[in-house]
Amino acid sequence: MTTTTATRTRALVFVAVAAGLVLMPAYRQVFGGRSRFVRDWELFNEVGVGLVVAAFSVRDADGRETPIDRYAALGRERPTAPRWLRTMTGEAGLLRVAGELCGKLGAVDLRARASIATMRGWVPLHAGEHDLCRPLPPRPQIPGTRPRGHEDP
């Protein structure tokens, strides 16, 4: 192979790869094409799905609620707290933190106002309607609260 032929071959391969990088996302997102070989071009698409934000409170016998700080109640500093306490994931994560609070605070009426992140936005998870220190009634899973994984639907 001469130098000119080798240069042309490298240039042709480069152009083919560059065209693929540009056209593959368009194939899926513009033209609606489906193929197991051409993936969606999504960056940070499902980061945060399933995360829970919650505000805990203790309800007294009169029905008044007193907000509590989960870190202070468990004797932890926020920067050094374990990950499960800083980042609640799913209803199971919320119930784990609630269980720790119930164990530390004793026999209290613990309530939480919590929302969970879905692909469509924040959805209410708990509205303070149940004492989290007692067994909860069965609840259906909220759709879209778990990342779909790396497989195509």
Side-chain angles (χ1 to χ4, degrees):
M1 229 200 235
T2 65
T3 307
T4 307
T5 307
T7 303
R8 284 185 185 155
T9 303
R10 280 196 295 268
L12 184 64
V13 169
F14 174 78
V15 169
V17 170
L21 286 173
V22 171
L23 295 177
M24 279 190 217
Y27 171 73
R28 291 290 295 259
Q29 295 179 346
V30 176
F31 303 117
R34 294 305 239 184
S35 169
R36 65 184 196 157
F37 301 109
V38 180
R39 309 259 328 131
D40 284 337
W41 195 275
E42 298 174 343
L43 186 63
F44 305 117
N45 185 36
E46 295 176 346
V47 172
V49 170
L51 291 179
V52 174
V53 293
F56 292 95
S57 61
V58 173
R59 183 178 286 180
D60 62 15
D62 297 335
R64 290 182 307 212
E65 292 187 14
T66 306
I68 60 168
D69 176 19
R70 66 182 185 250
Y71 299 103
L74 294 174
R76 307 279 184 141
E77 294 290 325
R78 186 180 190 120
T80 59
R83 185 181 179 117
W84 59 265
L85 183 59
R86 287 182 284 123
T87 308
M88 293 178 280
T89 305
E91 188 172 19
L94 173 72
L95 295 178
R96 179 177 181 185
V97 172
E100 293 287 330
L101 287 170
C102 292
K104 191 74 164 183
L105 298 174
V108 296
D109 185 354
L110 182 69
R111 305 292 172 135
R113 284 171 180 54
S115 297
I116 189 166
T118 69
M119 289 297 292
R120 299 183 186 268
W122 291 95
V123 175
L125 183 61
H126 283 275
E129 70 273 12
H130 297 291
D131 178 3
L132 296 178
C133 292
R134 299 181 192 272
L136 295 174
R139 298 165 45 104
Q141 183 175 344
I142 298 170
T145 58
R146 292 183 64 275
R148 69 184 164 129
H150 295 289
E151 69 281 348
D152 284 336

